[in-house]
Every structure is written in C-alpha cells, then in structure tokens.
Amino acid sequence: MGCLFTSPYSPLYYLFPPAKSQSLEEQPKVYSWDVRERVDPKDYMIENKQNDVFIKLPGSINGMQFIIQNLENCVVYLFDNVAQVSIDDCKNCKFFIGPSKGSVFIRDCSDCNLATVCQQFRTRDCKRITTFLSCGTQPIIESSTSMKFSCLTINYAQLTEQLKNAKISIFNNNWNNIHDFTPVPGELNYSFLSQTYQLIDYVPLPDKFTCNQLKLTFSKTDTLIPLTLGISNRPTSESVLVVYFPNDSTDQAQQNQEIQASQLINEIKNNYSHILLVQAKKYNLSELSAENVFGTKSFNDYLKNGPIIGLEFNGNDASRQCHELVESLKLKPVFVSCPSSNLMHQIDTFYNFADMQMSV
Amino acid sequence: MGLLSLLKKLRSNPEQELRILLLGLDNAGKTTLLKSLASEDVSHITPTQGFNIKSVQSEGFKLNVWDIGGQRKIRPYWRNYFENTDVLIYVIDSADRKRFDETGEELSELLAEEKLMGVPVLIFANKQDLMNSARASEIAEGLNLHTIRDRPWNIQACSALNGEGVKDGLNWISKNIQRKKK
Ligand SMILES: Nc1nc2c(ncn2[C@@H]2O[C@H](COP(=O)(O)OP(=O)(O)O)[C@@H](O)[C@H]2O)c(=O)[nH]1
Ligand SMILES: [Mg+2]
C-alpha cells in the first residue's frame, strides 16, 4: 500500500509517479504469513450450536487461535495450547480453555461458567460469568456485571508442557486482582466466590473415557496450579513470606527453584491444613528493590540469575512452621521472613514491586 | 508544513524528535508493539489502564511513543493526547473480524479530528501470525482507506509478537517524515 504520494489509489500518484529506484525498493516483501500453509478456519472454530458438548484433545489445536461464537447450552473443552481465544454471544454455556499464550476475550455473553489459564483475561458487555482463573497479568472487565472469580484448580497429563509452551508460570496467578474499567458507584460488578465452592460445581468433568485418557482432575488437592486465597482474603493476621532464588542462570537452576517452591507448598498442604497459601508471585526483582524488601544486600548476587519466586502463607504459627520446613528440606537459596511489626509492610512492598514490574 | 514552521522545527529539534501516538481498540496489540519497538520482552503484557510512554531511537529519529488504553470507556480520553502529534499509528487485531466495524468507526472519527488534521497515519494490520487474520489489503478495502486524501497514509502487515513487519512500518514513517523536509 502507499501514502498520499505513492499510493496508486491517490490522484497525486498520476501527477508524481514514483521514481524507478523507489518502486524497486518498494517491491512486495515476502512475510512468513504470505507463505504459510493455509488452514481451514472451521477447524479452529465452534459456532452456532445448541445443547451440545465439544472436546478438543491435546494436539488438535497446537497453539493456533480459537474462536467460539453464538452457542447456547453447550459445554466446550479445549485441552490444548491456544494463541488467543475469543468467546462471543454465548448463553448458558460452560468452558474450559487450555493455556493461552495471548488473551482470552469474552464479549456479549451471559450466564456462563468458565475455567481458563491465560496470559491476559478480558471481558466486555457480559453478565453473570463465573470464572475459575489463572492469569499471568491483571484481569480486566468492562461493562460487565455480576462477574465472579475464583482460583483455577486443575491438572492433566499434558498441562505442564502446555503451560511451558504458553510461557505461563503457575507461580504467577492474578485471579484475585481484578481491574474494572466501568465501576458503578455503590455497586460491585465483580466478587469472589467463597472457598467452599469448587470448579466441579460450575464446570462438569467430561466423560469418563476422556478423564482417564487425560488423567484429568479439577480437585483442590491434586491441582498443578497452586490454590491461592488472594490478598483480600487472609484468614489470620499471621503471614510469612518465603522467596526462592535461582542458584545460577541455567534452566536447571530455574527448574530446581520451581521444584523447591512446589515442594514447600505441598508439604504445607499435606501436613498443616490450617496454613494456607495467600499468593504466589514470580518476577524479576531489581537490586534496589530487593534491598528494600529483604533489608539486606545478601540476596543481590542471585537476582541476575533470573526471576524470583515469592510465596505468602497465612495461618497460626505459619512463620515457625515455614522456618522449620525450609530448614529440614535444606532448600537454598531462600529467604524466610521473620515476625516483626514491619512484616505486612514488607509483604506489601514485595507485591508492589511485582505490580510495578508487570506494568510497562 | 510551511517552510518557516519546518525550519523552526528543525532548529528546535536537531536530531528530529517525533511524537507518535499509538491508538486502536483494546487487545489490538498496541502495548506489545510499543515494547517490541523498544526491543523488550513481549510475553507478559498487562492490559493498559492509562497510558505508557517510551522513547525509541530509530533511523536517526528519536521517537516518543505514546500508547493509550483502548477500552471503549476510555476512548473519549484519546483526544487529550492529540496535540503536537507528528505521526498517528493505528493498530488493528487483524484476526478479530467481529470488531472490524468498530475499529473502522473509531479510525474514521480520528481522521475527522481537527487536531489530527494532515497528520500522517500508519495502520498496522497486526497479528498476521494468527490463522484467522485478514490480509492488509482486505482490511484496507474494508476500511475504505483509499478514500483518505488529506494526509499520507500506509497500511503495514505485522506481528508485534514476533516483530515481523514492524521495521517496515518504521521505514515508512522515516521516509515520510523526510519527505516533509523538502
Ligand atoms: N498472536 C499474536 N498475539 C499478539 C500480537 N500482538 C499482541 N498480541 C497479544 O494480544 C494481546 C493484547 O495485546 P496488548 O499489547 O495488551 O494490546 P493493547 O490492548 O492494544 O495494548 C496480548 O495477549 C498479546 O500477547 C501478535 O502480533 N500476534
Ligand atoms: Mg495496552
């Protein structure tokens, strides 16, 4: 295409035809999308259906974009990687959307239940949508009412690999931090589900055969994505912050760091049911910020190795139990906060730096 | 641009500083484009609540790029950023066909704005890597771009995610701005 001076559509083109050298320069370039294999969009779309169930198994979407529109009383499961998903004009439907490298965008839908793990979550013009969410950035809603959110709990055989493909970390879930573009004074367009509910109350498991094939579970105990309470929901006044650092800059070190964080979460889940995970964060911390959070320079050497993983636990005796566990697991390098009047400020600072680093 | 004002501009900005306004619907990929221009990681981008600014060096120009949130609710605030714009970049999610009408309407409104009169416009037909994306030529036709007569314009296919096509858009800007000098 061209500008006013060179566009063949422009009347000026005929008065000032481009010089020869220029037209050579502007010869059409070949981009990857000009030469890629064409696919049938219908294979990546579910539309205009009623009272039906659709299951896409691992390997059937392979990280392509997926489109869902105009469904009523349907259940849709996408157990695969997607590039981005739009869900438009659906009523009374239930969805599971597998790891999305880009956004999951819901528009003009009502009375739907949804479970998804994605990089971005967005809604517009929706009513009564309940979402079990794992989202790498802050979820946003616009012109949407009676929206409910909860933490996604799920596992299946291919999930770890799919999360990796989508560049999503299970240690960075912002389901509890919603931004509303259209707040209404005196009303709340969104709320959080009580912890007494679970995913299965809102989205049914698929048929037995599929469940077995995928080793699928929605349970809170077997979930791969850590169940978090959210910072608006601390049950007691006793919190503890545990931060893991990568030992060096290798992939192996980052893997170890994740294993250690998972181990601690599982030990606590299995042995101390009264201590709960409030929130997990994985992000790059600068040296200056680190000094601010930890009150010491002694962790600065690890920061250049990669992102840190921070876990906040809450419950009576959380601090002592975490110190003991971390000691006995011999996991290093790690920081565990000490009880002090300054602790909540320290934890807030830790989250604030995470938010700052997430914004541009 | 008249010769006098041009000279003034050149004198006050010896290294040619350009103010670029980045607009488009929410989810079009504006912030991803901004970060890709600045060669930053584009894998974890939060939806924009207000605006972001970055300065980027390109082809002897210093680009001051303003990326403004695109939600319907905050589009009325776009006008607060119109003043002194040298180039408008308008970003479209080429794979979101449901919103082609909406994005076309917003673009026409922008082109009718007095404060943006004559400002060159570069349209990025973004997300070309996605399977449902419309080609730049299809979008140009759908949006009737050929009826734009009052300013230089260009539509460039790109993927802000993998960077393809972005540089070609910038090239158009630099050529176009140089043309202003003559
Ligand atoms: N596949 C693909 N996704 C993109 C591209 N550009 C942006 N995205 C994704 O689209 C979503 C919206 O991008 P963002 O930059 O936040 O859009 P904005 O609202 O216009 O600022 C994010 O999930 C991005 O990762 C692209 O060229 N290709
Ligand atoms: Mg943005």
Side-chain angles (χ1 to χ4, degrees):
Chain A
M1 299 289 119
C3 65
L4 179 62
F5 303 94
T6 56
S7 166
Y9 297 117
S10 154
L12 281 181
Y13 179 81
Y14 301 101
L15 296 174
F16 308 105
K20 259 227 164 85
S21 64
Q22 197 178 352
S23 67
L24 265 180
E25 231 176 88
E26 292 188 359
Q27 245 171 26
K29 201 171 153 177
V30 177
Y31 296 104
S32 64
W33 46 84
D34 294 321
V35 295
R36 73 158 173 242
E37 219 179 292
R38 292 284 137 185
V39 298
D40 186 355
K42 292 271 174 261
D43 293 341
Y44 303 92
M45 231 180 240
I46 299 173
E47 57 177 354
N48 309 326
K49 294 284 192 310
Q50 300 180 338
N51 309 312
D52 214 337
V53 178
F54 303 89
I55 302 178
K56 292 276 179 188
L57 290 173
S60 62
I61 307 175
N62 279 323
M64 302 280 277
Q65 172 192 11
F66 206 92
I67 294 168
I68 296 171
Q69 52 197 8
N70 202 20
L71 305 185
E72 210 174 331
N73 295 316
C74 288
V75 188
V76 176
Y77 303 94
L78 309 184
F79 292 112
D80 204 357
N81 271 120
V82 286
Q84 78 174 31
V85 175
S86 53
I87 303 180
D88 293 316
D89 306 292
C90 292
K91 272 191 201 127
N92 279 311
C93 292
K94 301 183 161 105
F95 305 100
F96 170 73
I97 310 292
S100 174
K101 196 171 178 182
S103 55
V104 170
F105 201 172
I106 308 172
R107 302 169 297 200
D108 304 295
C109 291
S110 59
D111 302 292
C112 293
N113 298 336
L114 168 77
T116 188
V117 41
C118 53
Q119 187 237 135
Q120 286 190 350
F121 182 82
R122 303 169 177 256
T123 77
R124 196 179 84 176
D125 300 315
C126 287
K127 272 187 214 128
R128 295 179 299 277
I129 312 283
T130 298
T131 307
F132 286 75
L133 184 62
S134 177
C135 186
T137 59
Q138 186 174 24
I140 63 122
I141 62 173
E142 182 183 19
S143 304
S144 300
T145 56
S146 305
M147 308 294 284
K148 287 188 180 149
F149 291 90
S150 190
C151 180
L152 177 66
T153 57
I154 193 170
N155 200 4
Y156 55 93
Q158 296 82 356
L159 185 57
T160 303
E161 196 197 330
Q162 291 178 4
L163 287 169
K164 202 170 152 209
N165 294 338
K167 300 193 180 166
I168 291 174
S169 166
I170 59 168
F171 296 106
N172 205 2
N173 183 356
N174 299 283
W175 70 269
N176 187 242
N177 181 18
I178 312 292
H179 177 73
D180 184 358
F181 272 95
T182 48
V184 182
E187 276 172 53
L188 254 190
N189 291 326
Y190 67 91
S191 59
F192 300 111
L193 269 191
S194 141
Q195 290 278 338
T196 51
Y197 294 106
Q198 41 182 342
L199 178 52
I200 201 145
D201 302 326
Y202 287 84
V203 178
L205 283 163
D207 62 278
K208 272 238 163 62
F209 181 76
T210 305
C211 285
N212 290 339
Q213 197 184 1
L214 294 172
K215 300 199 175 69
L216 176 67
T217 171
F218 285 174
S219 102
K220 288 186 179 181
T221 35
D222 303 325
T223 176
L224 176 69
I225 291 162
L227 173 63
T228 47
L229 294 173
I231 44 173
S232 51
N233 216 356
R234 292 186 182 100
T236 76
S237 59
E238 186 178 344
S239 273
V240 57
L241 178 67
V242 182
V243 180
Y244 288 100
F245 304 84
N247 216 347
D248 54 56
S249 56
T250 60
D251 283 352
Q252 186 62 44
Q254 293 209 17
Q255 222 168 314
N256 283 345
Q257 182 197 14
E258 296 219 341
I259 291 170
Q260 293 178 7
S262 296
Q263 233 173 2
L264 182 65
I265 292 172
N266 286 331
E267 285 288 327
I268 289 192
K269 186 161 67 182
N270 298 337
N271 299 308
Y272 308 97
S273 57
H274 66 285
I275 300 178
L276 298 165
L277 182 62
V278 175
Q279 187 156 264
K281 282 276 175 197
K282 182 171 184 179
Y283 69 100
N284 282 301
L285 192 65
S286 73
E287 289 195 2
L288 204 66
S289 311
E291 277 180 58
N292 243 310
V293 176
F294 306 123
T296 156
K297 286 185 191 207
S298 52
F299 295 100
N300 282 5
D301 281 349
Y302 300 114
L303 299 175
K304 61 176 187 316
N305 294 340
I308 56 163
I309 297 176
L311 309 172
E312 180 194 345
F313 293 96
N314 187 289
N316 291 327
D317 229 14
S319 189
R320 195 174 57 89
Q321 302 292 10
C322 276
H323 273 276
E324 278 180 23
L325 264 176
V326 167
E327 192 89 348
S328 71
L329 290 169
K330 295 199 166 47
L331 307 173
K332 286 237 157 66
V334 59
F335 162 88
V336 187
S337 69
C338 292
S340 86
S341 55
N342 196 32
L343 178 60
M344 276 333 284
H345 176 71
Q346 189 173 27
I347 292 177
D348 286 342
T349 310
F350 177 79
Y351 289 137
N352 289 342
F353 283 130
D355 287 344
M356 265 161 60
Q357 129 94 52
M358 232 172 32
S359 61
V360 169
Chain B
M1 183 177 282
L3 186 61
L4 233 160
S5 56
L6 186 65
L7 284 176
K8 238 193 239 159
K9 190 175 172 71
L10 286 180
R11 205 172 10 200
S12 64
N13 290 320
E15 78 270 274
Q16 284 253 32
E17 214 165 294
L18 296 182
R19 180 180 154 105
I20 298 191
L21 192 55
L22 203 54
L23 297 176
L25 302 190
D26 45 325
N27 200 47
K30 297 179 292 299
T31 308
T32 308
L33 184 72
L34 178 76
K35 295 198 91 176
S36 138
L37 288 176
S39 312
E40 291 175 21
D41 174 36
V42 295
S43 55
H44 299 98
I45 286 167
T46 295
T48 312
Q49 290 172 23
F51 64 91
N52 306 303
I53 321 171
K54 276 190 195 294
S55 288
V56 183
Q57 212 66 43
S58 167
E59 319 232 344
F61 291 95
K62 185 179 173 208
L63 312 179
N64 295 316
V65 189
W66 293 66
D67 157 36
I68 321 288
Q71 271 71 16
R72 185 176 56 204
K73 175 67 192 285
I74 57 179
R75 287 176 213 158
Y77 301 112
W78 284 356
R79 59 177 59 250
N80 299 346
Y81 301 87
F82 290 165
E83 211 91 47
N84 298 321
T85 298
D86 293 305
V87 179
L88 171 65
I89 296 183
Y90 193 80
V91 186
I92 295 176
D93 177 347
S94 312
D96 191 0
R97 292 170 189 257
K98 171 169 163 148
R99 300 219 290 179
F100 279 2
D101 285 347
E102 188 176 339
T103 195
E105 279 160 26
E106 294 293 347
L107 178 61
S108 328
E109 279 184 31
L110 284 172
L111 297 182
E113 287 284 349
E114 205 170 318
K115 282 188 179 157
L116 294 175
M117 224 160 52
V119 170
V121 59
L122 169 65
I123 294 141
F124 268 122
N126 190 31
K127 304 201 188 180
Q128 289 295 323
D129 57 295
L130 296 180
M131 73 82 195
N132 197 42
S133 61
R135 287 165 174 272
S137 54
E138 261 179 85
I139 292 176
E141 205 165 308
L143 299 186
N144 282 320
L145 295 185
H146 57 274
T147 62
I148 303 176
R149 296 280 156 83
D150 57 350
R151 71 187 76 224
W153 64 270
N154 185 33
I155 183 163
Q156 172 66 50
C158 79
S159 165
L161 198 63
N162 66 28
E164 240 185 310
V166 173
K167 193 109 212 312
D168 302 298
L170 289 187
N171 281 342
W172 178 83
I173 290 180
S174 68
K175 274 188 204 154
N176 189 70
I177 295 300
Q178 272 156 11
R179 211 184 305 264
K180 273 207 316 198
K181 265 196 287 191
K182 284 177 200 156

